[in-house]
């Protein structure tokens, strides 16, 4: 089976850098996704990692280490609008249509 | 503009009533999905459909039913057998397996 763990809440300051971790226990997966979800809204796609390493996309970067069983999302130059929940999800090998989601990390950006 | 639409935004269900949530996409995606989100929890998969006229149960299918008669549409019925239906329901679609899933704006279902 799969188990995905993320911190429940994090707080950071506007302009700073924050790293949101995602650890997983799974027998194998195709890739790992990160989504952003503002309160009461739909999740929006941020990044997808298949290979180990860092994927950079503007202010957001995502890192994957399969051997260590973790991923992180790095947000730079934080803005107030980055206050949202960040969801980590894996695409399991035994059912490639499915996504298994973590509970999400609620990030609060303060002035 | 291409996208996924869900209606209604809010839905109220009375005891013993079946209600249907609409999901439409014009992205030409083959696969569609229904998720349920409860406060403080991750998304849980209810049903998914890989192609028209085919659908599979997800992790929490009991008390729900779906149909996929058209590529663009994947309605979800919450039946009276679902004893705890209050939640935020999200529809998503993708080109295929292992592809990014894109979400609609969601429907919040409340029980009267």
């Amino acid at each position: 089976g799969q188990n995905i763990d993320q911190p429940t809440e994090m707080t950071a300051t506007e302009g700073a850098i924050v790293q949101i971790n995602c650890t997983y226990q799974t027998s194998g997966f195709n890739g790992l996704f990160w989504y952003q979800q503002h309160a009461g809204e739909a999740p929006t796609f941020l990044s997808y990692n298949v290979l180990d390493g860092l994927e950079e996309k503007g202010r957001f970067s995502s890192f994957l280490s399969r051997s260590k069983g973790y991923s992180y999302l790095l947000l730079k130059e934080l803005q107030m609008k980055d206050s949202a929940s960040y969801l980590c999800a894996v695409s399991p090998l035994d059912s490639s249509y499915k996504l298994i989601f973590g509970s999400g990390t609620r990030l609060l950006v303060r002035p | 503009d291409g996208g996924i639409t869900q209606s209604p935004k809010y839905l109220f269900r009375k005891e013993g009533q079946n209600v249907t949530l609409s999901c439409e996409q014009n992205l030409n995606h083959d696969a569609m999905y229904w998720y349920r989100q409860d406060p403080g929890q991750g998304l849980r998969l209810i049903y998914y459909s890989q192609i028209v006229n085919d659908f599979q149960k997800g992790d929490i299918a009991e008390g729900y039913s779906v149909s996929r008669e058209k590529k663009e549409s994947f309605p979800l019925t919450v039946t009276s057998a679902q004893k705890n239906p209050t939640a935020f329901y999200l529809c998503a679609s993708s080109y295929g397996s292992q592809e990014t899933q894109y979400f609609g704006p969601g429907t919040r279902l409340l029980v009267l």
Side-chain angles (χ1 to χ4, degrees):
Chain A
Q2 294 88 15
N3 194 37
I4 300 173
D5 294 311
Q6 302 179 237
T8 304
E9 285 188 358
M10 297 182 71
T11 303
T13 304
E14 192 176 14
I17 300 173
V18 70
Q19 177 174 313
I20 301 175
N21 293 330
C22 170
T23 58
Y24 54 85
Q25 297 82 41
T26 175
S27 54
F29 61 94
N30 297 302
L32 188 144
F33 293 85
W34 283 97
Y35 284 85
Q36 179 191 60
Q37 186 180 25
H38 286 98
E41 298 182 10
T44 54
F45 169 73
L46 290 177
S47 67
Y48 178 50
N49 292 70
V50 176
L51 302 176
D52 283 6
L54 190 68
E55 294 277 345
E56 295 186 80
K57 196 183 289 187
R59 293 189 300 114
F60 292 5
S61 303
S62 58
F63 174 84
L64 176 64
S65 171
R66 287 179 180 264
S67 60
K68 295 182 179 178
Y70 88 104
S71 171
Y72 66 73
L73 182 69
L74 195 69
L75 290 74
K76 302 176 187 175
E77 301 168 19
L78 279 173
Q79 302 176 8
M80 299 299 289
K81 67 178 182 179
D82 297 330
S83 291
S85 289
Y86 292 86
L87 312 177
C88 171
V90 297
S91 170
L93 283 177
D94 60 353
S95 181
S96 55
Y97 279 90
K98 289 186 177 182
L99 284 182
I100 309 298
F101 283 85
S103 298
T105 298
R106 191 161 59 243
L107 174 66
L108 175 62
V109 179
R110 292 182 168 160
Chain B
D1 283 331
I4 305 174
T5 57
Q6 291 185 241
S7 62
K9 188 170 183 178
Y10 294 96
L11 185 59
F12 297 91
R13 193 190 92 163
K14 294 180 182 178
E15 200 74 35
Q17 188 181 42
N18 293 353
V19 292
T20 297
L21 285 62
S22 168
C23 177
E24 305 278 330
Q25 55 97 3
N26 61 2
L27 299 169
N28 200 32
H29 285 171
D30 285 315
M32 297 186 74
Y33 313 80
W34 274 105
Y35 291 90
R36 169 180 172 141
Q37 187 174 35
D38 294 281
Q41 295 191 34
L43 279 66
R44 292 183 290 167
L45 183 65
I46 304 172
Y47 268 97
Y48 67 100
S49 168
Q50 300 175 28
I51 55 172
V52 176
N53 294 321
D54 179 71
F55 49 83
Q56 309 293 331
K57 290 182 179 180
D59 299 317
I60 55 165
E62 186 174 349
Y64 301 97
S65 65
V66 293
S67 62
R68 186 84 187 278
E69 297 175 2
K70 298 189 298 182
K71 186 175 184 177
E72 301 80 16
S73 179
F74 191 41
L76 173 75
T77 297
V78 184
T79 74
S80 57
Q82 172 49 244
K83 297 306 178 189
N84 185 24
T86 297
F88 189 42
Y89 290 86
L90 288 159
C91 178
S93 68
S94 69
Y95 280 113
S97 65
Q98 302 178 46
E99 298 283 344
T100 300
Q101 294 183 18
Y102 295 92
F103 288 83
T107 293
R108 194 165 296 278
L109 177 61
L110 299 166
V111 177
L112 294 176

